Amino acid sequence: YVTNENEAAAVTPNDELYGRYQWNLPAISVPDGWTLSKGAESVVVAVVDTGVDLSHPDLKAHLTDGYNAVDPDAAPEDDVGHGTHVAGIIAALTDNGEGVAGMTWYNRVMPVKVLDSTGMGSTYSVAKGIIWAVDHGAKIINLSLGNYAGAAFLHDAIKYAYERDVVLIAATGNDHTDTPGYPAAYPEVFAVSATNRDGT
């Protein structure tokens, strides 16, 4: 269905939980964006976080090999749930009749575990994870983590990625403070915050 020569109708995926819970995607015009692009398999998104559930039925088809900076001999398996949640927002299988819709239909996710089973981690492990992701083909790095102390070696890792044309995105605003959080506050990083359903 086309509304005019230049404007395609917004796409509505058939994922089971999309209409009931994913008010956020229409709020930022993702269904309209899908008429322009649904993503690209060649663009790998590294989720630098608590790892990812490597057998999750709504994610496993989109996962690439990853890395565990906490325990380099282990798989980047999520033992907290946060990284799996983030990966699902980005790339849950879309229009497959189950679960939620991801923002991209095709991009792959590289799980990089830098936070331990308590959801905590060192700045060093985050920097190490960023560098590993860049060296293994990530073109986008998502960092839904942070603290209020900048560190030169973390900024060096951020610059290492930026200088290699990797897009860096980090969370900010979760704590209702004016204090800059890192890595979101570095100039090479897109800082992303959010609202509630009512826009607050």
Side-chain angles (χ1 to χ4, degrees):
Y1 172 74
V2 177
T3 54
N4 67 42
E5 285 182 27
N6 300 314
E7 188 179 336
V11 176
T12 302
N14 66 12
D15 300 84
E16 179 185 9
L17 303 177
Y18 175 76
R20 195 172 346 156
Y21 295 112
Q22 291 189 277
W23 57 268
N24 54 313
L25 297 185
I28 60 171
S29 301
V30 170
D32 294 308
W34 284 330
T35 67
L36 303 174
S37 174
K38 292 180 178 140
E41 189 176 328
S42 61
V43 179
V44 175
V45 182
V47 173
V48 176
D49 209 292
T50 61
V52 173
D53 178 349
L54 303 177
S55 60
H56 194 290
D58 218 19
L59 281 171
K60 63 184 178 182
H62 278 175
L63 298 179
T64 70
D65 291 339
Y67 174 63
N68 188 331
V70 178
D71 179 0
D73 295 325
E77 189 69 52
D78 191 356
D79 47 11
V80 177
H82 187 264
T84 301
H85 177 81
V86 171
I89 291 169
I90 297 166
L93 296 177
T94 302
D95 209 38
N96 67 340
E98 56 187 49
V100 297
M103 292 198 65
T104 172
W105 295 42
Y106 305 119
N107 295 66
R108 292 174 299 147
V109 165
M110 174 188 290
V112 180
K113 182 173 179 62
V114 299
L115 305 177
D116 64 20
S117 60
T118 68
M120 305 296 283
S122 69
T123 304
Y124 176 74
S125 67
V126 174
K128 193 168 147 186
I130 290 168
I131 292 167
W132 189 93
V134 172
D135 288 348
H136 290 82
K139 295 309 295 175
I140 300 169
I141 296 178
N142 185 89
L143 299 143
S144 291
L145 49 76
N147 64 34
Y148 297 103
F153 58 89
L154 176 60
H155 197 189
D156 286 345
I158 292 288
K159 288 187 277 191
Y160 180 82
Y162 181 81
E163 288 162 2
R164 286 155 182 80
D165 295 325
V166 175
V167 176
L168 297 132
I169 301 160
T172 190
N174 286 0
D175 297 331
H176 279 309
T177 177
D178 292 334
T179 304
Y182 298 92
Y186 291 126
E188 298 85 2
V189 178
F190 284 107
V192 178
S193 193
T195 69
N196 294 324
R197 187 172 193 152
D198 64 3
T200 57

